[in-house]
Amino acid sequence: MARFKFPTAFTILFALIAIVAALTWIIPAGEYQRAMNEALGSEAPVPGTYHRVDPNPQGLTAVILAPIAGMYDPGLLGSSSSAAIDVALFVLVIGGFLMVVTKTGAIDAGIGWLLHRLAGREILMIPILMTAFAFGGTSYGMAEESLAFYALIIPVFIRAGYDALTGVAVIMLGAGIGTLGSTFNAFATVVASQGAGIPFTDGIVLRFVILALCLAAGIAFVMRYATRVKADASTSVVADQAEDNRAHFLKGAGEDDAFPDLTGTRTFILTLFGLTFAVMIYGVVALDWWMGEMSGLFLTMSILVWWVGKLDEGSRMDEATFVETFVDGARDLLGVALIIGVARGVVVIMDAGKITDTILAGAEGVVSGLSEFLFITVMFGIQILMSFLVPSSSGLATLSMPIMAPLADFAGVGRDLVVTAYQSANGWVNLFNPTFAVVMGGLAIGRVSYDRWLRFVAPLLLVLAVIIVAALSLGAAMS
């Protein structure tokens, strides 16, 4: 009898699209009236205005077109809010950039230098990097930008004697837990607080507590797993892929192979490499950059790295080799780019089927009249459900806060607790949400199947949920 093989991410997402399309035939269509919310700077649902509308059930044609509409707006399903073409293009340009830098030998040389300096203390990379990514998450909601780091960090961990999953966990859990514990994240905390009509600093102490406790739990969890894998490679969740992963991420080099020399030219290239990411983060935080500007940055730096590489014989490429290398790198991440559009197809179907507001109205009814402890716990659960359907932190905040936050007044808890429940739930779900392109994209780059990621992360998810619920309950008690 053939052994069951878990379906690929593409199959899972197409199945989810079909299921949500079927729900549009069952769940009544409805809408809230929208009005300009000056605090949010965009239109938002108006509490108390939910009403039924003519149904718009989604059929086979809509299911087929949903991944296309998830990638760009073809003008067929009436929704462009989930268009992901800019993110997909960003991923392809990143692939080209990383391949060009790798071709110069600079990354391998840098890894060799790092491992030499950390000899015997490689495990320290986990708390250092997870804390760094958590800062990106808590400060500006680091998400799609994290995709640029996988191809850099995974080879470092494989060379250090760990596995590809360790590298994936460091990035995904680090940035994800940071977002879960957002403190002044403009795309989550600030947007949600504006929708709730409160300053974003309300509740910031509790959010710092959640961030610190969850990050400590995440670091301990990953370090424990990495230590076990290094001691016995057979305990790796991806042990059967070890040789293939070495060939893929190390480009055929083995753990014991000699590293190329860290020449002056390669050092300069690594400096440009680090500067690229620093400029990207500054652009997002301070200059309102998004995918177009970031793609242009990585394209420009690819060309600059190629020119700098001409100074060193070991890093030199002619024009034809440079173009071929860039295209090969983009080709390596083509599957990731495609999966981003498919993942967003679920939201397209919900919006086109007009069931998103119906689900929100149902949630509004569930929490009405509950005691403070039950209210905030149920609110956390509702935001978990909503996060599966609307993985975008800013999108969910804009949709749900104007409706859900005022209900806190009747339950006797602060509106800041609703904001904290929303962002904690959204961040928690997006550590494993199959409709969140960052999860599926990161797993695709790391060559970790979705079922193995679930098996790996499930114990930590339980711990994080307990921490969050306990913190929310404490907040309710102190209201």
Side-chain angles (χ1 to χ4, degrees):
M1 183 176 178
R3 181 182 175 186
F4 171 75
K5 186 176 181 181
F6 199 82
T8 65
F10 284 100
T11 302
I12 294 170
L13 291 170
F14 268 107
L16 287 174
I17 289 172
I19 291 170
V20 173
L23 290 176
T24 64
W25 293 80
I26 301 170
I27 299 175
E31 292 178 349
Y32 282 95
Q33 292 180 11
R34 257 69 173 177
M36 176 58 68
N37 185 311
E38 296 300 332
L40 289 171
S42 62
E43 289 192 342
V46 178
T49 63
Y50 174 79
H51 58 283
R52 296 285 181 86
V53 298
D54 292 337
N56 187 34
Q58 303 296 289
L60 179 59
T61 301
V63 171
I64 294 171
L65 291 176
I68 310 301
M71 187 66 76
Y72 84 108
D73 179 19
L76 297 175
L77 296 184
S79 174
S80 60
S81 60
S82 294
I85 188 65
D86 55 347
V87 182
L89 180 59
F90 173 61
V91 167
L92 295 178
V93 174
I94 284 174
F97 169 74
L98 291 172
M99 186 65 80
V100 169
V101 177
T102 300
K103 184 77 171 180
T104 66
I107 289 181
D108 282 344
I111 291 173
W113 176 86
L114 178 64
L115 294 181
H116 176 71
R117 294 295 296 266
L118 290 176
R121 296 173 292 136
E122 296 89 352
I123 196 73
L124 293 178
M125 292 189 295
I126 292 173
I128 292 171
L129 289 173
M130 287 188 70
T131 301
F133 283 115
F135 177 77
T138 194
S139 61
Y140 73 92
M142 187 179 203
E144 287 88 354
E145 305 93 324
S146 67
L147 295 174
F149 292 91
Y150 284 89
L152 168 66
I153 286 176
I154 292 174
V156 175
F157 279 100
I158 291 178
R159 282 280 203 171
Y162 303 111
D163 62 358
L165 179 56
T166 302
V168 170
V170 164
I171 302 170
M172 195 172 296
L173 294 179
I177 289 174
T179 303
L180 177 158
S182 292
T183 48
F184 50 96
N185 174 5
F187 301 103
T189 309
V190 175
V191 172
S193 297
Q194 289 171 339
I198 59 174
F200 79 89
T201 51
D202 286 4
I204 196 169
V205 174
L206 182 63
R207 291 194 282 271
F208 266 118
V209 170
I210 292 174
L211 172 63
L213 293 177
C214 289
L215 181 59
I219 289 172
F221 180 79
V222 177
M223 289 180 73
R224 180 173 177 269
Y225 170 80
T227 301
R228 188 170 70 243
V229 168
K230 190 162 187 177
D232 181 3
S234 66
T235 63
S236 167
V237 173
V238 290
D240 59 320
Q241 300 172 216
E243 291 304 321
D244 284 344
N245 282 341
R246 287 192 192 98
H248 177 79
F249 290 110
L250 304 183
K251 307 305 177 187
E255 287 180 25
D256 300 323
D257 289 356
F259 291 95
D261 294 332
L262 186 59
T263 63
T265 298
R266 286 176 177 149
T267 300
F268 187 31
I269 289 173
L270 288 176
T271 301
L272 292 174
F273 185 85
L275 182 63
T276 303
F277 289 93
V279 171
M280 177 190 76
I281 293 172
Y282 176 77
V284 171
V285 174
L287 304 177
D288 292 328
W289 280 13
W290 196 229
M291 294 300 156
E293 293 86 351
M294 289 191 289
S295 298
L297 170 66
F298 280 95
L299 178 60
T300 300
M301 296 307 289
S302 299
I303 297 170
L304 184 56
V305 165
W306 168 51
W307 274 99
V308 171
K310 291 176 175 290
L311 302 174
D312 188 306
E313 185 176 352
S315 305
R316 193 173 298 154
M317 285 180 276
D318 59 27
E319 181 270 340
T321 303
F322 162 69
V323 172
E324 182 180 353
T325 301
F326 188 91
V327 172
D328 284 345
R331 185 184 297 116
D332 281 351
L333 295 189
L334 180 59
V336 179
L338 292 175
I339 211 168
I340 288 170
V342 178
R344 296 198 180 188
V346 176
V347 179
V348 170
I349 288 288
M350 285 184 56
D351 288 346
K354 300 182 179 180
I355 63 173
T356 306
D357 283 8
T358 299
I359 294 171
L360 180 60
E364 181 183 5
V366 168
V367 296
S368 298
L370 297 178
S371 67
E372 59 264 24
F373 289 106
L374 240 123
F375 171 84
I376 202 62
T377 302
V378 173
M379 177 67 72
F380 178 65
I382 287 173
Q383 292 292 349
I384 285 176
L385 173 62
M386 293 295 296
S387 295
F388 274 111
L389 304 174
V390 187
S392 166
S393 58
S394 56
L396 180 60
T398 301
L399 175 69
S400 68
M401 283 301 103
I403 303 298
M404 307 304 282
L407 299 177
D409 301 340
F410 300 100
V413 302
R415 293 189 179 191
D416 59 284
L417 267 187
V418 178
V419 172
T420 303
Y422 135 78
Q423 69 174 49
S424 299
N426 185 253
W428 185 81
V429 166
N430 283 344
L431 294 175
F432 66 98
N433 189 357
T435 66
F436 188 38
V438 174
V439 168
M440 304 310 278
L443 294 181
I445 297 173
R447 296 160 64 92
V448 176
S449 63
Y450 184 67
D451 61 315
R452 297 190 189 201
W453 176 251
L454 286 182
R455 191 163 76 244
F456 165 77
V457 81
L460 177 62
L461 292 174
L462 179 60
V463 172
L464 296 181
V466 170
I467 291 173
I468 294 167
V469 171
L472 291 173
S473 298
L474 177 63
M478 296 175 63
S479 292

